[in-house]
Amino acid sequence: FKMRKLILHFDINKTILMRDSEQGYALDQTLYRVIAARSWGIVEEKEVSGEVKRVWKLKHDHLTMYQPAEGLINYYEFVKELYPKRTKTGDEDEDATALDEFNASQNEARATLISQFPKPGNPGVKFKNHYEKMHRALTLPKAVREYLGVKLPDEGAGDHVPDLTNDEKIMRELMNEGKFHIIPAFFKLLLNLRRSKREFAIVFRSYGTDLQNVVHEFNRLCEGTHPCYNGKNGMPLVRFDGSKGTGNFKITDSNLVTFYRSTEAVENTIVTGTLERVAGRGEDLDEFYAGGLEEGDLEILRGPESIYIGMMELLKGNCGMAISEDYEIYQRTHQKPNSKLLLVDSTDYNVQHIFFDDNADFADELYSIVDPRELMDFNEIPLKHYKNKYVVEVDSYKAVTETDYFIKAIEECEKNRTNEINRREAGLDLSDEEEVVVEKTAYERLVELPPDEYLMKTVIPLLLPALTLVDIERPTNPLGFVATYMLKNKDKIDLGYEIDEGDDQNRSV
């Protein structure tokens, strides 16, 4: 399967970008939401100053996307329930201004609670180090910060204004907090695929307004002018512009696509060559885009087969594409049939589509934001047949803190696809197909633990009795006594894997 062409579809917000301009979430607010949505607890009623209030209490020690036990609720959902918003009824006497003001105040109250969540004195303080780990992982190299003239928030305002090109000024604005805009794991994936000589294409897909900024940064990478990959200030020089035998991934105007979604197969439509969208569903597309159609700059493609073939043809020229998704129809139900359409030809063994999205809800399929369908008959693909094969529900926390996150996810997807192909070729029933899960090693699971849990599993069980004993014995060499005690009793600690005694012997302490 290493010769299989990969078409990699990427959502933007909380998948490869930890910001959301459309929703007004800056980096900090987004990271707070990521932590809150992965923290699980129970809701209790408590009397405070004579008033009964609902309070959330942490009941699970690890961050996880999925409900770890019956009856638990994540903090993000708790806050949404605590400050519910109202929806428009459409009544003639409805005060739209008052409704907007009320919802804005609820949003502000939500944001305040969530931003305080991992701080001392709040219920999520246990995960403060996780929040800080995300920040560290997103921090730009010092040489890049100096080159752009940006400083970290705790370093104060920048006093150096460098002489930058217009493109560099845009990049400076995108990285103005001294943090990565597109997360490092995405770049590492591209470099890994190129090093492995894989044939692949990148398709960005978003409802929001950050799409154009992502395209700008991606094109700077392709041209070799990205601040982190321009060959300056000790940074490597990276290009994806067709030079040195590589594919040209730069997203040109012809590879900008506007999607008009429909639950009816033949009514699904894309317009290639633009991100401009008709306001409302009533206007005729041929009339709206008449100028571009006449000039030959735009093309309208209708129906699943035309859309699929058209997109694949475009990706043969330039291997990058950006799709503006149809939020107008999605917001009607926020359900899968109106979401982002992923067309899959399961009979084509030479191509594999993989869609990465943090809202590809595996826990409640109806509300998945990705809708995978068979190209030939437009039938829905069941969750068990697309999960971690054609669609990956992205864990935002891991995508930020593990730079090989997307690499491992693709490995799992390809193994599952290979398993499906083998079963199909063997004439086996696909209905009982089992998912292939790439298990982490015991060591990988151990080092991912937060500091307090890591120490409790590795050192504290021996250190505490050693300290007790050294206090009783009062030896002449207390440090040597503690070290000897711990080494003699090290077999009492079960780490879950075999230790190579030479691994850490020569590391400086």
Side-chain angles (χ1 to χ4, degrees):
F1 62 78
K2 292 299 183 183
M3 299 306 292
R4 194 181 297 151
K5 181 174 182 178
L6 298 174
I7 311 297
L8 305 177
H9 305 249
F10 283 91
D11 168 52
I12 301 298
N13 305 109
K14 291 204 278 99
T15 295
I16 60 169
L17 190 69
M18 296 300 131
R19 296 168 176 82
D20 192 332
S21 299
E22 187 81 16
Q23 300 294 329
Y25 296 125
L27 176 64
D28 272 342
Q29 294 167 302
T30 303
L31 299 188
Y32 289 136
R33 290 174 66 215
V34 169
I35 296 296
R38 285 156 178 76
S39 303
W40 297 85
I42 59 173
V43 179
E44 299 177 330
E45 290 189 346
K46 185 174 292 187
E47 187 172 328
V48 180
S49 302
E51 182 182 356
V52 177
K53 293 188 175 182
R54 298 173 71 232
V55 296
W56 183 92
K57 185 176 181 181
L58 181 68
K59 282 294 180 180
H60 189 70
D61 291 334
H62 305 280
L63 295 181
T64 177
M65 286 197 298
Y66 306 114
Q67 185 185 42
E70 191 75 23
L72 299 187
I73 182 174
N74 69 57
Y75 189 74
Y76 182 65
E77 290 298 325
F78 165 71
V79 170
K80 285 168 64 178
E81 290 183 5
L82 201 61
Y83 293 98
K85 294 195 291 185
R86 298 173 186 163
T87 56
K88 294 181 179 180
T89 63
D91 295 340
E92 291 183 7
D93 58 348
E94 183 176 48
D95 188 337
T97 301
L99 178 64
D100 289 342
E101 290 177 352
F102 173 80
N103 286 341
S105 69
Q106 296 295 86
N107 275 336
E108 187 174 345
R110 290 179 179 183
T112 298
L113 271 185
I114 290 173
S115 66
Q116 295 299 317
F117 177 66
K119 297 179 180 178
N122 290 276
V125 65
K126 179 181 180 66
F127 300 122
K128 179 175 179 289
N129 59 326
H130 292 71
Y131 168 78
E132 292 171 346
K133 184 177 181 179
M134 293 181 79
H135 254 296
R136 289 194 298 271
L138 291 171
T139 300
L140 289 168
K142 184 178 180 181
V144 175
R145 301 201 305 270
E146 292 176 348
Y147 173 69
L148 293 175
V150 297
K151 290 192 175 183
L152 299 174
D154 58 0
E155 292 179 326
D159 52 10
H160 169 57
V161 181
D163 183 18
L164 302 175
T165 66
N166 288 334
D167 283 340
E168 288 172 333
K169 288 177 181 177
I170 295 174
M171 291 303 300
R172 183 181 192 273
E173 184 63 28
L174 296 178
M175 300 173 167
N176 63 354
E177 294 178 298
K179 306 290 181 177
F180 279 91
H181 184 240
I182 296 177
I183 64 175
F186 177 77
F187 298 120
K188 185 170 182 179
L189 170 65
L190 299 184
L191 295 174
N192 176 269
L193 290 171
R194 186 172 74 173
R195 188 164 49 247
S196 303
K197 294 181 169 46
R198 295 299 302 271
E199 185 181 3
F200 68 100
I202 300 293
V203 184
F204 298 115
R205 305 183 62 166
S206 178
Y207 291 116
T209 56
D210 287 305
L211 183 62
Q212 291 181 334
N213 284 338
V214 167
V215 170
H216 178 87
E217 180 173 1
F218 182 70
N219 282 346
R220 301 294 76 73
L221 175 74
C222 295
E223 295 174 351
T225 59
H226 190 286
C228 297
Y229 299 97
N230 58 6
K232 301 178 181 178
N233 309 297
M235 298 296 106
L237 175 60
V238 175
R239 292 179 180 272
F240 284 88
D241 58 357
S243 60
K244 296 183 178 180
T246 64
N248 185 357
F249 285 78
K250 185 174 179 180
I251 299 175
T252 59
D253 288 347
S254 62
N255 281 31
L256 300 177
V257 176
T258 300
F259 208 119
Y260 292 93
R261 182 74 165 96
S262 175
T263 54
E264 298 296 326
V266 296
E267 294 181 11
N268 283 280
T269 304
I270 64 171
V271 183
T272 66
T274 182
L275 295 179
E276 187 179 7
R277 179 179 295 279
V278 170
R281 310 296 288 190
E283 190 165 354
D284 181 80
L285 296 186
D286 293 275
E287 183 178 333
F288 180 82
Y289 294 109
L293 293 171
E294 290 175 5
E295 293 293 328
D297 297 327
L298 309 182
E299 185 177 9
I300 298 178
L301 301 172
R302 293 181 171 90
E305 187 172 348
S306 294
I307 290 173
Y308 186 86
I309 293 173
M311 288 176 59
M312 294 298 285
E313 284 298 316
L314 284 173
L315 290 172
K316 286 181 180 178
N318 284 44
C319 305
M321 178 179 288
I323 300 178
S324 171
E325 298 286 351
D326 193 347
Y327 186 71
E328 182 182 348
I329 191 170
Y330 175 67
Q331 69 175 344
R332 295 177 184 178
T333 63
H334 289 273
Q335 292 182 355
K336 184 179 175 183
N338 290 339
S339 66
K340 303 170 186 176
L341 177 63
L342 176 65
L343 294 169
V344 173
D345 182 0
S346 62
T347 65
D348 184 352
Y349 296 170
N350 297 315
V351 174
Q352 182 170 357
H353 292 261
I354 304 175
F355 201 130
F356 295 92
D357 199 308
D358 67 296
N359 285 314
D361 197 338
F362 289 166
D364 191 346
E365 185 181 2
L366 177 61
Y367 291 95
S368 173
I369 207 167
V370 181
D371 185 17
R373 292 180 179 261
E374 282 285 356
L375 172 64
M376 297 307 175
D377 54 17
F378 205 64
N379 285 339
E380 291 186 46
I381 302 176
L383 172 64
K384 66 178 296 183
H385 292 313
Y386 71 71
K387 178 183 177 183
N388 295 329
K389 182 191 301 173
Y390 301 124
V391 181
V392 174
E393 183 178 5
V394 172
D395 186 330
S396 307
Y397 175 76
K398 291 183 178 179
V400 170
T401 58
E402 300 174 14
T403 56
D404 58 353
Y405 176 79
F406 293 122
I407 297 171
K408 289 182 177 180
I410 289 175
E411 176 187 349
E412 184 173 354
C413 288
E414 291 199 274
K415 287 184 177 180
N416 282 322
R417 173 60 171 150
T418 298
N419 183 50
E420 177 186 57
I421 291 172
N422 291 340
R423 291 179 66 84
R424 187 191 297 270
E425 289 297 294
L428 299 176
D429 184 4
L430 296 180
S431 62
D432 61 349
E433 177 187 5
E434 294 184 1
E435 177 187 351
V436 177
V437 179
V438 179
E439 293 287 347
K440 292 185 177 181
T441 66
Y443 175 72
E444 287 175 327
R445 292 193 296 271
L446 184 66
V447 297
E448 288 175 357
L449 293 175
D452 54 345
E453 294 179 39
Y454 175 80
L455 293 174
M456 282 300 299
K457 285 183 176 293
T458 58
V459 177
I460 300 298
L462 287 183
L463 181 59
L464 290 180
L467 294 176
T468 300
L469 193 58
V470 79
D471 182 45
I472 295 172
E473 299 289 341
R474 304 294 173 101
T476 55
N477 182 5
L479 292 179
F481 182 92
V482 170
T484 300
Y485 176 89
M486 295 186 71
L487 288 172
K488 282 185 176 180
N489 292 277
K490 63 183 179 180
D491 291 339
K492 294 180 179 180
I493 300 290
D494 181 13
L495 298 178
Y497 58 90
E498 294 294 325
I499 300 175
D500 183 345
E501 297 294 341
D503 277 353
D504 299 303
Q505 294 297 318
N506 297 320
R507 285 189 186 178
S508 60
V509 178

